[in-house]
Amino acid sequence: MGSRLGLKLFLSYLVIIAIGAVVLVLTTDLAVPRAFQRHLGQMSGEMMMGPRDTGSMLQRMSLYGNFQDAVREALTLALVLSTLAAVIVSLVFSRRMVAPLRAMMAASQRIAGGHYNERVRVSGPGRSADELTQLSLHFNQMAERLEQTEALRSQLIGDVAHELRTPLTTIKGSMEGLMDGVLPANDETYQQIHREAGRLQRLVDDLQELSRVESGAYTLHPRAVSLQALVEAVERRLNRQYEEKGVAFTCDLPAGLPAVWVDEDRADQVLTNLSGNALQYTPPGGTVHLSAQENGAAVQVNVQDSGIGIPAEHLEHIFTRFYRVDKSRARPGGGSGIGLTIARFLVEAQGGRIWAESPGPGQGSTFHFTLPTAPPGEHPA
Ligand code: ADP
């Protein structure tokens, strides 16, 4: 785009130079003949009075002297007028430059004081937008991000408190029941308390992981990875759980699928999460099918289950933290609604996209995500 502000500054200097030059030309055109006239008039007057002081007469009569005086007058006038023009132009220009800077300074002070809804006025955006206009635009974007982060932060604290309350209340209630002798001190009671403590533990682990991925406090080590190997590892890990529940796990990866360029552990984490969810939300006797295909410069992975499905109105929210379609938390081993949020962060951080589709409740769901293909010449280790 080049420097528009620099161009404006340059143009303002040009204006001053042009005014100086025009004034100089005009004044020399007008003043020099007038000055000559005046000096010649003086000269002839003195000649008529008769010669008194021959030395000074000669000096005054000198054409060169007259000319010098005339040019000096013209130059002085040009200097005065162009200084005036410079003062006016620089006043106008610096006011236009300083006003938005002042506004931003005041707004940043108010933002620092916690008023995140502060914005500055953006003058004349568009093609002619100079650096100051761009700065105002970026300033507003920054203020908006700060406002969103602040809103998310307070919402997160509320959500976490809410999530912690349920298991804590159950544990406390059970303990009180035990102490009062209302609940029998048997295996079932201890199991229930243990389950709730486990839920708390999972929630805290998930929160820690979420905060790590959200703040970007982790490093990705991308390299060429074979999707086949990745899927086999996940399959081996979840096999027993699938068998125990009686859900069939099948996969179909086309031969010649290119390697993907990802952090292996993180891609494994996403695939494990989606395959784990598919198992969790698919009743016994159901199926989970994993497939993949090349899609432009990426490989698209699909995890399709024949489970409980997702109502259309929930589809776009399930990647939001703490969002659960079934709010009851009564589900055994029920999750915290953080897994998909983490999966989305990890996929997007690796340059991919993740989304879900479902024909409706009871009709299964399919989760898709893309991973970039490895650059040519890079092969899985
Ligand atoms: P959770 O730990 O609760 O499973 P997730 O973030 O993994 O949290 O998922 C968010 C919500 O999305 C779940 O609570 C569930 O309602 C819905 N969901 C996720 N995967 C599936 C699936 N395969 N079938 C149906 N619903 C699903």
Side-chain angles (χ1 to χ4, degrees):
M1 186 200 69
S3 165
R4 290 194 186 277
L5 201 59
L7 186 70
K8 281 186 182 173
L9 266 173
F10 173 68
L11 286 178
S12 72
Y13 293 144
L14 266 190
V15 166
I16 295 167
I17 292 171
I19 288 177
V22 167
V23 168
L24 192 59
V25 169
L26 285 179
T27 46
T28 42
D29 273 7
L30 293 172
V32 169
R34 274 223 316 273
F36 256 102
Q37 217 76 58
R38 206 166 61 239
H39 285 280
L40 287 175
Q42 273 179 11
M43 211 174 70
S44 58
E46 279 174 11
M47 273 173 72
M48 276 171 27
M49 280 165 67
R52 271 179 292 160
D53 178 348
T54 329
S56 78
M57 264 295 288
L58 273 177
Q59 200 182 6
R60 282 193 200 150
M61 277 169 61
S62 144
L63 194 58
Y64 175 70
N66 279 331
F67 177 71
Q68 220 178 15
D69 284 350
V71 169
R72 200 171 290 137
E73 271 178 32
L75 274 178
T76 313
L77 199 60
L79 186 73
V80 170
L81 287 181
S82 44
T83 309
L84 212 65
V87 168
I88 292 169
V89 169
S90 64
L91 265 182
V92 170
F93 192 75
S94 62
R95 190 161 296 172
R96 288 182 62 172
M97 254 178 71
V98 170
L101 288 177
R102 280 225 176 103
M104 269 183 269
M105 211 167 74
S108 64
Q109 272 167 352
R110 281 193 293 273
I111 287 176
H115 302 278
Y116 295 102
N117 57 353
E118 198 64 42
R119 301 287 181 276
V120 291
R121 208 169 57 84
V122 179
S123 58
R127 270 180 2 101
S128 69
D130 62 22
E131 285 84 345
L132 280 173
T133 313
Q134 305 258 341
L135 185 62
S136 311
L137 275 169
H138 293 164
F139 182 90
N140 283 349
Q141 280 169 2
M142 186 193 71
E144 200 168 317
R145 286 296 288 271
L146 275 175
E147 194 179 4
Q148 282 170 359
T149 310
E150 183 57 20
L152 275 178
R153 193 184 64 87
S154 50
Q155 191 200 333
L156 179 64
I157 293 175
D159 286 344
V160 170
H162 182 76
E163 293 296 320
L164 289 174
R165 191 169 298 124
T166 315
L168 277 177
T169 310
T170 317
I171 292 175
K172 194 165 169 243
S174 304
M175 294 305 286
E176 281 169 2
L178 271 176
M179 286 189 299
D180 297 347
V182 181
L183 271 181
N186 59 15
D187 244 23
E188 198 189 325
T189 311
Y190 293 135
Q191 289 278 346
Q192 189 187 351
I193 297 173
H194 188 256
R195 235 189 346 261
E196 290 304 325
R199 189 178 289 219
L200 268 182
Q201 168 93 57
R202 269 199 308 280
L203 176 62
V204 171
D205 289 347
D206 281 354
L207 279 173
Q208 198 174 23
E209 177 70 0
L210 178 69
S211 108
R212 245 203 310 266
V213 294
E214 274 192 338
S215 65
Y218 65 100
T219 334
L220 290 172
H221 302 287
R223 60 184 184 83
V225 172
S226 145
L227 197 64
Q228 181 82 40
L230 209 65
V231 169
E232 278 168 10
V234 173
E235 196 178 2
R236 265 198 307 277
R237 196 168 323 123
L238 295 179
N239 207 5
R240 209 166 59 87
Q241 293 177 37
Y242 267 86
E243 274 177 6
E244 273 175 10
K245 193 171 176 184
V247 175
F249 186 82
T250 55
C251 41
D252 171 25
L253 299 185
L257 202 63
V260 285
W261 188 250
V262 291
D263 182 307
E264 192 170 6
D265 291 342
R266 296 313 194 165
D268 182 301
Q269 193 177 344
V270 173
L271 204 55
T272 306
N273 181 282
L274 296 184
S275 311
N277 272 356
L279 172 64
Q280 188 167 6
Y281 298 103
T282 302
T287 55
V288 172
H289 182 65
L290 206 149
S291 62
Q293 75 266 9
E294 201 174 345
N295 187 354
V299 171
Q300 181 178 321
V301 183
N302 320 296
V303 182
Q304 182 176 19
D305 65 56
S306 63
I308 61 168
I310 303 168
E313 68 272 22
H314 292 284
L315 277 173
E316 59 172 311
H317 301 295
I318 54 173
F319 295 94
T320 310
R321 62 163 99 92
F322 300 120
Y323 195 88
R324 280 174 299 234
V325 176
D326 168 18
K327 309 270 188 290
S328 71
R329 290 189 200 88
R331 210 163 8 90
S336 47
I338 294 178
L340 286 180
T341 315
I342 294 175
R344 193 195 59 191
F345 266 103
L346 292 178
V347 168
E348 288 177 358
Q350 311 202 58
R353 210 163 71 79
I354 185 166
W355 69 102
E357 284 168 0
S358 172
Q363 299 181 62
S365 344
T366 310
F367 282 76
H368 309 272
F369 66 100
T370 61
L371 295 172
T373 48
E378 295 282 354
H379 300 292

